Amino acid sequence: MEQNWMRAMKTGNNFEMEFRILGKNGDYRWHMSRAIPVKDETGKIIMWVGANTEIQKLKEEEKRKEEFLKMVSHELKTPVTSIKGYTQILLSMMEDENEIQKNSQRVKPSLQRIDSQITRLTRLISEMLDVDRIKDNQLFLQKEIFNLNALVKDTIEDINYAYKQTHITLKIENVCHVNADRDRIGQVLINFITNAIKYSPDDKNIKVRVFQTSDDRVSVSVKDQGIGIEKNDQQNIFKQFYRVSGKNEETFTGFGIGLYLAREIVERHNGEVSVKSKIGDGSEFIFTLPVNTNTDTERG
Ligand code: ADP
């Protein structure tokens, strides 16, 4: 620091420096010092005007951004590499005119993989855009009255189609209509179910249940028998970019924004999300919405 200051004094250039100061409680905190010289008409420095600011928060933000970018590039690399690989396989199959006909059946699995990786990329991109929309207060809901059970059933069918090794059962205890954004609620459900699949490496039996806790509230629960979540982490997983750290962090890929979006969406519907879980013993994610009690306007 002294050296930099001496240099500024000598050259008359603006002085700027970031450094850490040890606080009373033993923590180092980042500070920034800045000084500019005030010169007389001959150019001689007559005094320095400076300020010292604590920038610890900015530094932490910077670090979080760096980590986020690292995570983004890591996440995008997997599907992109896979798409490239399958495209090359397909291209090599197309090289020989005589082989094309013979290969046409073998092309299908590669195309399916490409398709599913593109779906994954599209989801990642729209989730990132949603985070931005929330930040700018631009996440608008298009509410309509619809049958929640039908949405749950359709969503499970779609997921069953895409994830062949998974077994999802559905139990409907009540017939319920809600006044909500159908696509957004579908997105919450997809997030809960795909998480349940992702974080259950050994047992892919997933139970989905629709039930009413009172006359005017309906809940959807997604229960898995996967790795579970510790109590401490349960309070944090709905926060933006929060991922459970430890050896699993590398094993299970993700951005840490799905549950954050889920909570934002549900709370914007005057609903709530919750989790019950025990480490090693599976998790149950539940979202609850107000029931639409105005039956005159039901549209199915
Ligand atoms: P992502 O899965 O992309 O990391 P999410 O926001 O969907 O992000 O989830 C946040 C974190 O919560 C995950 O990183 C994971 O540690 C934990 N988690 C979510 N769902 C489950 C589940 N069903 N079982 C165990 N852990 C889960």
Side-chain angles (χ1 to χ4, degrees):
M1 165 130 182
E2 220 173 276
Q3 258 179 12
N4 284 347
W5 177 232
M6 296 306 276
R7 197 178 316 128
M9 295 261 277
K10 228 197 254 158
T11 56
N13 289 340
N14 290 356
F15 169 78
E16 185 179 312
M17 195 171 170
E18 291 178 8
F19 52 94
R20 293 186 311 157
I21 295 180
L22 184 62
K24 277 199 204 96
N25 57 0
D27 283 348
Y28 280 99
R29 297 187 76 79
W30 279 98
H31 285 70
M32 176 191 257
S33 253
R34 266 186 167 151
I36 50 166
V38 181
K39 300 174 184 169
D40 66 11
E41 49 292 0
T42 65
K44 202 172 127 230
I45 300 170
I46 45 176
M47 65 170 171
W48 287 82
V49 179
N52 191 25
T53 325
E54 203 208 275
I55 52 164
Q56 180 67 20
K57 276 231 161 67
L58 273 175
K59 278 280 173 195
E60 281 166 12
E61 193 61 27
E62 224 172 69
K63 194 161 159 251
R64 244 156 55 102
K65 238 185 239 161
E66 268 168 31
E67 275 167 10
F68 177 68
L69 285 178
K70 236 191 321 190
M71 190 161 68
V72 171
S73 36
H74 178 80
E75 279 301 302
L76 296 182
K77 219 156 80 194
T78 320
V80 170
T81 314
S82 150
I83 291 171
K84 192 162 173 57
Y86 285 106
T87 317
Q88 275 166 351
I89 295 177
L90 294 177
L91 282 173
S92 68
M93 284 177 166
M94 298 298 160
E95 258 161 25
D96 186 341
E97 282 288 322
N98 303 323
E99 292 288 303
I100 292 178
Q101 194 60 33
K102 229 166 65 192
N103 280 333
S104 64
Q105 265 318 302
R106 286 171 52 209
V107 163
K108 209 172 161 193
S110 296
L111 281 175
Q112 278 165 341
R113 294 306 280 266
I114 291 177
D115 190 54
S116 84
Q117 293 292 3
I118 289 178
T119 309
R120 206 177 136 203
L121 274 179
T122 319
R123 227 182 79 204
L124 290 179
I125 293 165
S126 40
E127 283 187 353
M128 288 205 293
L129 289 175
D130 282 345
V131 170
D132 234 34
R133 283 193 191 111
I134 288 174
K135 217 169 57 220
D136 301 338
N137 230 340
Q138 296 287 321
L139 190 92
F140 301 118
L141 300 178
Q142 294 190 340
K143 287 193 177 178
E144 59 180 315
I145 294 159
F146 64 89
N147 184 332
L148 182 65
N149 305 321
L151 172 71
V152 176
K153 234 170 108 195
D154 290 352
T155 309
I156 292 178
E157 257 168 43
D158 289 347
I159 296 179
N160 267 335
Y161 182 76
Y163 295 82
K164 296 274 188 270
Q165 303 95 324
T166 309
H167 185 64
I168 308 173
T169 53
L170 170 63
K171 192 170 166 203
I172 290 178
E173 295 175 12
N174 296 85
V175 177
C176 261
H177 286 77
V178 288
N179 184 10
D181 186 321
R182 198 176 193 276
D183 287 345
R184 291 287 179 191
I185 298 300
Q187 183 184 344
V188 173
L189 189 59
I190 290 173
N191 177 255
F192 279 12
I193 300 179
T194 48
N195 271 352
I197 298 170
K198 182 159 83 173
Y199 296 103
S200 305
D202 304 322
D203 187 337
K204 302 261 185 229
N205 280 304
I206 289 152
K207 291 190 180 117
V208 181
R209 193 161 69 95
V210 185
F211 59 100
Q212 258 182 272
T213 42
S214 66
D215 280 352
D216 55 356
R217 310 289 280 176
V218 59
S219 300
V220 179
S221 130
V222 177
K223 196 166 180 206
D224 64 57
Q225 299 177 45
I227 60 171
I229 308 159
E230 266 178 41
K231 263 260 158 332
N232 275 347
D233 290 317
Q234 287 176 29
Q235 295 162 1
N236 293 317
I237 48 174
F238 293 99
K239 288 183 188 159
Q240 206 178 138
F241 308 136
Y242 190 90
R243 309 200 64 225
V244 175
S245 53
K247 62 175 176 13
N248 287 332
E249 201 175 7
E250 294 288 311
T251 319
F252 303 100
T253 61
F255 269 137
I257 53 182
L259 287 181
Y260 163 73
L261 288 176
R263 186 176 69 178
E264 287 287 328
I265 291 168
V266 171
E267 287 184 352
R268 266 153 220 253
H269 284 88
N270 300 320
E272 66 266 2
V273 288
S274 63
V275 60
K276 290 182 205 160
S277 181
K278 217 168 129 199
I279 194 89
D281 210 19
S283 312
E284 181 178 15
F285 283 83
I286 301 170
F287 70 82
T288 303
L289 293 173
V291 171
N292 179 62
T293 42
N294 183 359
T295 44
D296 300 341
T297 42
E298 275 180 18
R299 270 188 268 142

